[in-house]
């Protein structure tokens, strides 16, 4: 067993089993049996079951949100949004079983058909920052496409995943179709990735671990979707609505205490407006309400754990180039104030993913310099572009090497649009209309047709 700690007060919430590789084997065996039954159901019945699952989540939004507040320190309003998002993702993909069309392709001598066959058992490995939403991005389209799912949540934040699997059962999904295996990534996660009957792995986490997962999957020519780290740029041009850009910039990076793969953790500002932007940014950062996650007014909670706090703090030593900081509570809990740095372009705070409420502000000269600076990163997940010039917005959007960009906004994730990264931010896409197809194998069947007999 291992203890689950509330990051806001350091109390022990509960403990969960620390499973072993043999438990993963058992789970995969059960999943194989469940998957055959599930795939044999009529598409409309699978759709109805997913709608029931969505309804069960909807009926438990408050409970799931409360679990996430206590397990992850997410502010209540955010946690409620996350639980509602899981419901919406399930509802969206409940339409898929009846819409997984194959094609009929014109060929000589017969009829050619394609089928979107389920892959079988899918392993979904999730990080601790958005436990239930990221789990649903994997399991909802995978189930919709006729697969079974074995879900491995992060060590620190398994509680909502465990509850979601219970709700799936209560909603009538077959036993074994959606299972959660808790334990260490190096044990349970690896066993799942290595299991020969797990034919696809969806991994969300650090680029370091994702690289290992990809290599292990390659040994069995196993499909992977990887959603990895980021160091996204928020590019503010001189011709933008500077007040709005500055007022929203803190929320583009400090949401979820900066523990967000899409965090705009580099703010690139055109030099001609840098001073004015910083004047506007300071009160915006001071205004971020950091505090008790149970308080509905709270905008930012604590970091997830003591170990993670230490890592984030290592990026802000006493001599760090701090421009200004927001506030954070004293006392127990892993609190870290929103922090704005003005490092050099080469400093590690300008290049590495900190995954906490720390942002680097970097000046740029012109459009070409902004694009070069934005792309000077191993990552390519997300980003924002602030300008009133439509042509510039389109030019820069096309030039920035990242999977999810927003213009005059910091939006990244909608369940109906594709999400994923360029470069070392990942492989493949989640969400959007095509996600169920990434949990299928295309099968082509040619049926010979005898030619009509010649009339005698
Ligand atoms: P992590 O890589 O440490 O762990 C992720 C998951 O992998 C956990 O469940 C862990 O137990 C498991 N794991 C660890 N070692 C493993 C192994 N050898 N084999 C299989 N599984 C293993 O990441 P984290 O610290 O939990 O999450 C933070 C990272 O996730 C950040 O880099 C963040 O950018 C990234 N992230 C990316 C996205 C995205 O969509 N691109 C979303 C959220 C988080």
């Amino acid at each position: 067993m291992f203890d689950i700690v509330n990051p806001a007060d350091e109390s022990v919430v509960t403990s969960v089993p620390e499973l072993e590789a043999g438990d993963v084997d058992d789970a995969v065996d059960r999943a194989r049996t469940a998957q055959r039954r599930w795939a044999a159901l009529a598409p409309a019945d699978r759709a109805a079951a997913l709608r029931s699952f969505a309804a069960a989540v909807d009926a438990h939004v408050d409970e799931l949100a409360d679990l996430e507040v206590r397990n992850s320190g997410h502010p209540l309003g955010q946690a409620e949004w996350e639980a509602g998002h899981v419901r919406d993702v399930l509802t969206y993909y409940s339409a898929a079983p009846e819409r997984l069309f194959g094609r009929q392709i014109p060929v000589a001598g017969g009829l050619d058909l394609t089928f979107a066959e389920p892959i079988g058992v899918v392993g979904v490995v999730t990080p601790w920052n958005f436990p239930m939403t990221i789990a649903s991005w994997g399991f909802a389209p995978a189930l919709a496409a006729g697969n079974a799912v074995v879900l491995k949540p992060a060590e620190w934040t398994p509680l909502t995943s465990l509850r979601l699997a219970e709700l799936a059962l209560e909603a009538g999904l077959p036993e074994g179709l959606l299972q959660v295996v808790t334990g260490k990534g190096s044990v349970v996660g690896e066993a799942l990735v290595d299991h020969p009957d797990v034919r696809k792995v969806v991994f969300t986490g650090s680029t370091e671990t994702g690289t290992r997962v990809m290599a292990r999957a390659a040994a069995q020519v196993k499909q992977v979707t990887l959603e990895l780290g980021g160091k996204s740029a928020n590019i503010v041009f001189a011709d933008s609505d500077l007040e709005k850009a500055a007022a929203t910039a803190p929320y583009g990076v400090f949401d979820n205490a900066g523990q967000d793969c899409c965090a705009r953790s580099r703010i690139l500002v055109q030099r001609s407006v840098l001073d004015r932007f910083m004047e506007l940014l300071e009160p915006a950062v001071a205004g971020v309400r950091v505090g008790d996650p149970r308080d509905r007014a709270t905008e930012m909670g604590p970091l997830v754990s003591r170990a993670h706090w230490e890592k984030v703090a290592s990026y802000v030593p006493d001599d760090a180039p701090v421009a200004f900081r927001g506030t954070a509570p004293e006392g127990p809990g892993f609190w870290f104030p929103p922090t704005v740095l003005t490092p050099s372009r080469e400093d590690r705070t300008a290049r590495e993913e900190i995954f906490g409420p720390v942002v680097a502000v970097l000046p740029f000269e012109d459009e070409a310099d902004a694009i070069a600076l934005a792309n000077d990163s191993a990552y390519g997940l997300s980003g924002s572009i602030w300008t009133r010039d439509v042509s510039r917005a389109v030019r820069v959007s096309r030039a920035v090497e990242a999977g999810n960009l927003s213009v005059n906004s910091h939006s990244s994730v909608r369940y109906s649009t594709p999400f994923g990264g360029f470069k070392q931010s990942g492989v493949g896409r989640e969400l959007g209309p095509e996600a169920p197809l990434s949990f299928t194998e295309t099968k082509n069947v040619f049926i010979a047709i005898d030619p009509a007999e010649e009339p005698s």
Side-chain angles (χ1 to χ4, degrees), residues 331-382:
F334 312 123
W335 301 100
F336 202 93
T339 301
V340 178
L341 303 178
T342 50
S344 74
R345 289 185 180 194
E346 294 312 315
D347 192 79
R348 72 182 190 120
T349 56
R351 308 192 71 82
E352 295 175 17
E353 184 183 47
I354 301 174
F355 224 54
V358 180
V359 69
V361 177
L362 305 165
F364 68 84
E365 306 305 330
D366 53 20
E367 188 176 311
D369 189 32
I371 292 166
L373 183 53
N375 288 339
D376 183 19
S377 171
Y379 298 114
L381 188 55
S382 179

Side-chain angles (χ1 to χ4, degrees), residues 125-130 134 137 152-156 183-191 193 203-210 212-213 216 226-230 259-262 353 355 379 381 419-421 425 430:
V125 181
T126 56
W128 48 259
N129 63 327
F130 287 108
I134 291 175
W137 301 354
K152 175 3 209 147
E155 288 87 326
W156 293 333
K184 286 201 182 119
S186 56
V187 178
V188 173
E190 251 172 47
V193 173
F203 173 86
T204 306
S206 61
T207 296
E208 192 187 350
T209 312
R212 280 210 293 280
V213 166
R216 296 184 86 95
L226 301 176
E227 297 285 3
L228 309 176
Q259 303 165 124
D260 183 340
C261 52
C262 290
E353 184 183 47
F355 224 54
Y379 298 114
L381 188 55
F419 176 78
S425 286
E430 295 191 289

Side-chain angles (χ1 to χ4, degrees), residues 44 95 98 160 164 234 240 247 324:
E98 296 177 279
T160 47
L164 283 169
N234 174 10
S240 66
F324 38 82

Side-chain angles (χ1 to χ4, degrees), residues 237 239 367 371 385 387-399 407-408:
F237 285 97
D239 64 12
E367 188 176 311
I371 292 166
I385 298 147
T387 176
R388 285 193 170 103
D389 180 337
V390 176
S391 298
R392 166 172 279 158
V394 175
R395 278 195 308 271
V396 178
S397 298
R398 297 299 302 270
V407 175
N408 298 330

